[in-house]
Amino acid sequence: MLSRIAESLYWIGRYVERAEDTARILDVHLQRILADPWTDEDQACRSLLGVMGMPMEEEQLTSAQVIGLLGLDEHSPSSVVGALAAARENARGARETVSSEMWECLNSTWHGLPSARRRVEQQGVHAFFRWVRERCAVMAGLTDATMSRDEGWLFLVLGRSIERVDMTARLLRTHERAGGSIPSWLTLLRSSGAWETFLRTYRGSLDDRHAAEFLLLDRLFPRSVFAALSTAESCLTDLEPDPGRAGVATDAQRIVGRARTNLEFRGADELIDDLSAVLSSLEHTCSQVNDAVSRRYFRQTTAVNWVKGAVA
């Protein structure tokens, strides 16, 4: 496969996942402010932008500004709208590889963004976030249903999995900065689409240990960090079917495998006690993996750096 096509598919996976997860994180942010009238809006907004790698120097921040920056800024691939536009642009450059249904989904989503922004004004941001999640879910379903399990599919799923690890870690950081309360876990599980599955798994028991264990370590829930790392590791293994006689074949496999092992053999209580360091390590891992994948398979590109207003 041409490196140009592989790179486009990898970034389609990342951008679609980024759009969905950013919408989920913004939804958590707004629910937190609405649920607790005593929340300092300025501090909550600064905390969220810090989690997303976009610290701001303005004297006073509001949720409307955050929604504009992370939701509706069409020029920033860090935002929901910008990520969807970037996914569509990458798909346009890989039309011969993606299915016609995938292209039509991304293209119609892109054409629907202006009306979606009007929906924000008329119905509120929650309707817009729900629409984004639905469109991303359609795209994920079409990817799994219409692409052959060849190298192209592996690169797209690899990108999606790496982005999911990074964004789930950032979502968990919103909980950490909210003070780690039980209502915060409840909101977090709902925003991850994990609430009903969590209740069935733990029979209604909601505490810090169970919630952290589910979102970080669960093997069966596809949005957990461990499941996403395992999927990424499987994709990298399939891309390098002959590892040789010693160790693994690539730096990317080594980095992902080390991160997965670090989670797999730690207890939930230990993870909670060291949650901040664990989340920082996961974010650093995603940047390292991106850099290693780029060096191995693509034209020379830099790692994803979360900076003010954009991803460099």
Side-chain angles (χ1 to χ4, degrees):
M1 173 172 285
L2 292 174
S3 63
R4 174 183 62 83
I5 301 298
E7 187 175 20
S8 292
L9 291 167
Y10 172 82
W11 282 106
I12 289 170
R14 290 206 68 159
Y15 281 131
V16 172
E17 184 68 23
R18 182 177 302 171
E20 179 180 357
D21 291 345
T22 302
R24 291 178 181 277
I25 289 173
L26 284 169
D27 218 4
V28 169
H29 166 79
L30 293 175
Q31 287 185 40
R32 175 185 163 194
I33 291 177
L34 291 173
D36 185 0
W38 303 108
T39 298
D40 185 328
E41 183 176 8
D42 176 69
Q43 185 59 41
C45 291
R46 291 184 188 282
S47 175
L48 176 60
L49 290 173
V51 165
M52 301 301 289
M54 298 172 62
M56 301 294 289
E57 301 298 331
E58 281 78 356
E59 292 184 1
Q60 190 71 25
L61 286 173
T62 66
S63 294
Q65 289 175 287
V66 171
I67 292 168
L69 287 169
L70 292 177
L72 304 177
D73 185 354
E74 60 187 24
H75 301 295
S76 170
S78 301
S79 75
V80 173
V81 171
L84 290 173
R88 185 254 189 187
E89 186 63 23
N90 276 276
R92 194 165 66 90
R95 287 285 302 275
E96 67 271 29
T97 306
V98 300
S99 67
S100 59
E101 289 90 346
M102 291 169 63
W103 164 249
E104 289 168 5
C105 175
L106 285 173
N107 197 42
S108 62
T109 300
W110 183 73
H111 283 292
L113 288 175
S115 61
R117 292 160 102 165
R118 288 193 294 272
R119 191 180 299 123
V120 172
E121 299 173 359
Q122 297 169 0
Q123 303 176 19
V125 292
H126 296 293
F128 172 64
F129 294 149
R130 184 169 58 250
W131 177 79
V132 169
R133 292 197 302 268
E134 289 171 355
R135 296 306 299 172
C136 292
V138 170
M139 179 61 185
L142 289 172
T143 298
D144 291 342
T146 63
M147 285 192 75
S148 297
R149 275 21 179 196
D150 55 11
E151 287 184 342
W153 184 81
L154 290 172
F155 277 113
L156 193 149
V157 174
L158 173 62
R160 180 172 67 190
S161 301
I162 292 172
E163 189 72 22
R164 183 169 291 177
V165 172
D166 186 37
M167 297 301 281
T168 300
R170 294 178 190 275
L171 189 64
L172 284 163
R173 274 201 179 277
T174 65
H175 158 80
E176 179 196 4
R177 298 199 178 194
S181 63
I182 291 298
S184 175
W185 278 118
L186 174 60
T187 303
L188 199 65
L189 288 164
R190 287 189 183 280
S191 70
S192 302
W195 177 239
E196 290 78 13
T197 306
F198 174 85
L199 289 179
R200 288 194 296 271
T201 302
Y202 291 98
R203 302 183 185 278
S205 173
L206 178 58
D207 61 36
D208 283 2
R209 183 184 186 280
H210 289 159
E213 184 177 69
F214 189 77
L215 289 174
L216 285 170
L217 299 175
D218 195 88
R219 285 181 169 83
L220 302 182
F221 182 62
R223 302 198 73 85
S224 78
V225 171
F226 181 85
L229 283 171
S230 297
T231 300
E233 190 174 19
S234 176
C235 290
L236 289 167
T237 300
D238 290 342
L239 287 169
E240 298 284 345
D242 184 13
R245 295 183 57 175
V248 293
T250 67
D251 288 339
Q253 289 174 279
R254 189 174 298 107
I255 295 165
V256 172
R258 187 183 300 123
R260 177 192 55 77
T261 303
N262 187 45
L263 281 180
E264 187 173 16
F265 295 100
R266 297 178 71 170
D269 293 330
E270 183 183 355
L271 287 173
I272 289 175
D273 292 339
D274 200 23
L275 186 60
S276 180
V278 169
L279 298 179
S280 295
S281 175
L282 287 171
E283 291 172 20
H284 183 58
T285 292
C286 292
S287 180
Q288 287 183 310
V289 172
N290 183 85
D291 191 43
V293 169
S294 297
R295 288 195 308 268
R296 176 73 175 177
Y297 300 108
F298 307 151
R299 299 165 297 178
Q300 190 61 44
T301 57
T302 58
V304 174
N305 295 315
W306 291 82
V307 297
K308 180 178 178 180
V311 178

